[in-house]
Amino acid sequence: MLRLAILAGLISLCAAAAKLEEVFAWKEVSYAWPSEDAKNQAVKNGEYISANNLPLGLGRWKDKLFVTVPRWKAGVPSSLNYISLASPNKTDSLIPYPDWKANTLPKGEEKPDENAITSTFRVTADACDRLWVMDTGVADILGEFKVISSPAIVIFDLNTDKLIRRYTLKEGDLKHESFFANIVVDVLPGKCDKAFAYIPDLGGYGLVVYSFADNDSWRIKHNFFHFDPLQGDLKVGGINFQWTDGVFGLALGPADDNGDRTMYFHALASTTEFSVNTNVLKNKTIATDPHSYDMFKIEGNKGEHTQTSASVFDEKSNVIFLTQLVRDGVACWNIKKSLSPQNVTLIAEDHDNLIFTNDIKIDADRYLWIISDKMPAFLYRGLNPDEINYRIYKVAIDEAIKGTVCEA
Ligand SMILES: *[C@@H]1O[C@H](CO)[C@@H](O)[C@H](O)[C@H]1NC(C)=O
Ligand SMILES: *[C@@H]1O[C@H](CO)[C@@H](O)[C@H](O)[C@H]1NC(C)=O
Ligand SMILES: *[C@@H]1O[C@H](CO)[C@@H](O)[C@H](O)[C@H]1NC(C)=O
Ligand SMILES: *[C@@H]1O[C@H](CO)[C@@H](O)[C@H](O)[C@H]1NC(C)=O
């Protein structure tokens, strides 16, 4: 009986993993340099140190798959990049977006251009063909910590690759400990000018809201934006570390007749999921009023080892997908069901290939895109350049949830 149960378990594990299609797999990422000379020059002067380039965030728009490479260390030649999905090969080079110049660090007294990207972790392509980029403005984060520019929201028109707007966050939006590694956009198709961006501050435990119509931002504080001291001791890919990351993953539920949604959120170092209606966030007066405290709700607990970086919501299935950092996988939860460990299940798990599922996105064709990148090894030990370290997968959502507790 026991052997049968183990066998059944193995089969279901394999089935879960087999559903994912591996689209990219790199030992180290390479870039589409203008010439071999340019590359050699960059290697020579230290502007390109291959091992220091960790792909982290992703996002698909039409034939482009955006891949961010934050400037954790020196030697990252370009932070915002894409790969063409027209005829991909598994080790494709990254192409700087919108171009090389915007991604090249200024030299000496040079001022960065308006469309320049110093360092970005995650991006969002919205329903209005715009790319929203949170530029932290800091290069060599773990080394010299070079502040090139102030944290800014940078918005591109994906049809023309032109800058739409660069909005520098206000003094009041920032704390000394601020760390902006995510950006989520709230917009209804056809109401592009009414967009809002929500930017979690995982280091300063707050949420910054930006109104595109008002060209204004404000900062919200709440106890639920903090980390859980019992959930910050993590072990991933054989590496044990302690993190204090607060609010991180934001997933927007369906819009009601007023265009308001439920925003589901969690701290990274936590296993609890919370929610708040976006009508609280979008109105500056209500958002910053301490009396709004009770408008933030506890959805429930996801269970042991369910620490999540990114999360995304699929409207058709009512399912939220959650990266599972400690479990080497991705989980789902159907929001029509109460949140408890039993109502959260893994749709993928792979202890070799899904080590640190860093980012997750849903594209217009309802494919889930997942990137795993062994980030703790990159940060604390160094990666082995002879192994595949970074992988990008996709899977159709209905395939992913078939037969699970998340299916309606
Ligand atoms: C795949 O892309 C890499 C990087 O651009 C290139 O070196 C390699 O030749 C390509 N492979 C094929 C089969 O096209
Ligand atoms: C948005 O506001 C900033 C000041 O916070 C200003 O510099 C910028 O010009 C404004 N942009 C637009 C499009 O109004
Ligand atoms: C924000 O909320 C306040 C208080 O309820 C209300 O008076 C105000 O009209 C709202 N502002 C907007 C822009 O909806
Ligand atoms: C799972 O969700 C269903 C539907 O909301 C609920 O009835 C059930 O109690 C939940 N299971 C657990 C163990 O909480």
Side-chain angles (χ1 to χ4, degrees), residues 13 42-43 53 77 119 129 162 164 207-208 219 221 236 258 276 279-280 320-321 356 370 395 401:
L13 272 187
V43 170
N53 288 257
S119 185
D129 294 340
K162 295 275 183 280
I164 294 174
L207 182 81
V208 175
R219 184 183 173 92
K221 59 180 199 174
V236 183
N258 298 320
V276 61
N279 63 20
V280 177
I320 287 183
F321 295 91
F356 211 84
I370 300 157
V395 60
I401 60 174

Side-chain angles (χ1 to χ4, degrees), residues 336-340 342-343 405:
K336 297 288 176 197
K337 301 188 178 184
S338 53
L339 180 55
S340 65
Q342 291 86 344
N343 280 336
V405 68

Side-chain angles (χ1 to χ4, degrees), residues 304-353:
E304 251 191 294
H305 304 311
T306 57
Q307 287 89 345
T308 301
S309 53
S311 52
V312 280
F313 174 76
D314 172 54
E315 272 196 30
K316 204 155 172 202
S317 62
N318 281 312
V319 170
I320 287 183
F321 295 91
L322 307 135
T323 63
Q324 297 291 281
L325 305 179
V326 180
R327 301 205 284 175
D328 304 325
V330 174
C332 64
W333 165 51
N334 188 318
I335 60 165
K336 297 288 176 197
K337 301 188 178 184
S338 53
L339 180 55
S340 65
Q342 291 86 344
N343 280 336
V344 174
T345 195
L346 286 168
I347 57 126
E349 180 185 41
D350 188 322
H351 302 303
D352 296 314
N353 299 339

Side-chain angles (χ1 to χ4, degrees), residues 121-159:
F121 289 78
R122 283 178 185 75
V123 296
T124 293
D126 75 7
C128 302
D129 294 340
R130 296 176 298 200
L131 186 73
W132 296 64
V133 182
M134 183 63 220
D135 181 12
T136 62
V138 179
D140 199 0
I141 301 165
L142 300 174
E144 287 183 47
F145 199 86
K146 287 189 207 144
V147 178
I148 309 285
S149 52
S150 304
I153 301 166
V154 190
I155 310 167
F156 292 97
D157 179 334
L158 284 163
N159 287 309

